[in-house]
Amino acid sequence: SWRHNRGSSVSLETAFRWNLDCDAMTDLKIKTYYTFAKFPNPMIVEIFAREKGIDLFAIEKQVDAPGLENRNAEHLARNPAGQLPYLELEDGTVIAETISICEWLEEVKPEPAFIGSTPEKRAVARMWQRRMEEHFVYPTFYSVRFWTASDECTGPLKNFFAQRNKILIPGAWKEMQAWALSRLEWLEEVKKGSPSDYIAGDEMTVVDIQVYTTLVFFEDLGAPFMAQHGERLKWTKAFVARMAARPAVKACHEHIKEVFG
C-alpha cells in the first residue's frame, strides 16, 4: 500500500535507538521534517542523515503524498513547490529540495562528510552528482512519469501524475528511459578504466545515495534497469549490492516497513 499506517508501532529496541540519535541532534534546531518515507527523494534524505548519525524519526511528519496532502493550502503556504521532503526549522526557515537539504545537513554537521571534507573533494562529489542527476536520475523520473500516462501502463500507477504534472509526454517515455540507460552504460565504461567502489571514487558520497534510491525505487515501477540489463551492467549491479549492505540503507528500509507495514 502507498498509504502509511499512522497507528503503527515500533519495537522498543528501535525506539530506544531513535531516541538516542535524536538526543544527539537537538542542536540542529529542526522543528519538523515533512516526508513520505516510501518515495525516492525522502529516501535520499533519510539515508544521508542516517549516514551522518542523524535520525529524523522523532521530528518527522508523514504526509499523505498519494492523497495530495502535500499540495493542500497548509503545505503550500510553507513550501510553494509542494514537493516532499522539506524541513521546517525552529526559526521558521523552510528548506526544500533534496540535495539542498543534504547540503544543509552537511554544513551543520560536517563530519562524517558525504559531500566532501576538502574543496577538491566537494567539487568532485558535486561534479558527479550533476553528471548522474542530469543524465540518469531526471530521465528515469520522467520516463516513469510519462509511462504512467501511456497506453502501456495499465496498473495502479496509471495516470498517477495527472494531477501533479501539467505536462506529460506519454510518447517519450521509452526515449527518456534509453537516455537514462545510456548514462549507466557510460558509467560502466568509466569504471573499467578507473575502478572504484563508489561513483565519485573510493568514498561514498551523496551521488551514490541518489543513484541507488533511483535504481531500487523504480526497479518495479516502470524502470527495471537491473532486471533487464543487470548482467551487462556489472559494476552497477555490484554497486547496488554494496549500497544495500550499508547499515544506514538497511535502517532506512526497516523504517519504511515499520511506518507503512
Side-chain angles (χ1 to χ4, degrees):
S1 171
W2 289 101
R3 308 287 178 169
H4 63 275
N5 182 1
R6 293 181 184 273
S8 63
S9 60
V10 298
S11 67
L12 287 175
E13 178 183 356
T14 303
F16 182 66
R17 171 174 55 80
W18 281 335
N19 286 336
L20 287 177
D21 290 339
C22 290
D23 286 344
M25 60 163 282
T26 53
D27 291 341
L28 297 186
K29 308 298 184 185
I30 304 173
K31 179 182 176 183
T32 310
Y33 172 57
Y34 296 94
T35 185
F36 184 76
K38 260 187 176 181
F39 280 2
N41 285 332
M43 286 176 63
I44 293 170
V45 171
E46 180 171 345
I47 293 170
F48 187 88
R50 288 180 183 275
E51 289 282 359
K52 296 185 76 66
I54 301 167
D55 200 318
L56 301 169
F57 173 75
I59 54 167
E60 79 174 18
K61 178 177 173 55
Q62 295 291 332
V63 179
D64 185 7
L68 295 174
E69 182 185 357
N70 54 308
R71 307 285 175 148
N72 69 24
E74 177 187 350
H75 284 282
L76 291 177
R78 284 189 294 263
N79 180 25
Q83 80 274 48
L84 294 170
Y86 69 93
L87 300 173
E88 183 179 14
L89 306 187
E90 291 178 359
D91 67 0
T93 300
V94 170
I95 304 172
E97 301 296 339
T98 300
I99 300 303
S100 294
I101 295 171
C102 293
E103 292 266 9
W104 181 80
L105 291 173
E106 185 98 338
E107 290 281 347
V108 297
K109 192 175 187 298
E111 297 296 335
F114 295 107
I115 296 175
S117 57
T118 68
E120 292 76 19
K121 287 182 177 181
R122 285 191 289 275
V124 169
R126 287 166 175 150
M127 173 183 74
W128 277 101
Q129 190 273 324
R130 292 296 296 133
R131 285 173 171 173
M132 298 306 295
E133 182 176 66
E134 183 176 0
H135 296 287
F136 171 68
V137 176
Y138 285 166
T140 299
F141 270 67
Y142 282 108
S143 75
V144 173
R145 289 175 183 176
F146 294 168
W147 168 71
T148 64
S150 73
D151 293 337
E152 287 94 334
C153 180
T154 58
L157 285 182
K158 180 69 175 178
N159 293 323
F160 181 83
F161 291 97
Q163 298 181 62
R164 294 167 171 82
N165 296 95
K166 293 181 179 180
I167 300 174
L168 295 169
I169 311 172
W173 77 267
K174 292 180 182 179
E175 287 76 10
M176 298 298 290
Q177 199 161 116
W179 180 4
L181 177 60
S182 71
R183 177 65 14 158
L184 294 179
E185 293 169 337
W186 170 82
L187 183 62
E188 292 285 326
E189 291 301 313
V190 170
K191 291 305 176 185
K192 286 179 183 177
S194 182
S196 62
D197 283 349
Y198 296 102
I199 292 172
D202 294 326
E203 299 176 357
M204 194 207 71
T205 65
V206 66
V207 64
D208 298 297
I209 301 171
Q210 188 177 29
V211 170
Y212 168 80
T213 57
T214 303
L215 284 165
V216 299
F217 181 81
F218 290 113
E219 181 69 18
D220 297 322
L221 295 173
F225 292 112
M226 292 297 93
Q228 293 183 356
H229 310 286
E231 290 307 309
R232 62 190 182 87
L233 298 174
K234 297 184 184 301
W235 185 90
T236 306
K237 187 175 181 178
F239 161 77
V240 170
R242 271 192 296 277
M243 289 295 295
R246 294 183 70 90
V249 175
K250 289 181 177 180
C252 175
H253 290 302
E254 176 191 342
H255 178 213
I256 291 171
K257 289 179 181 178
E258 291 181 326
V259 171
F260 292 90

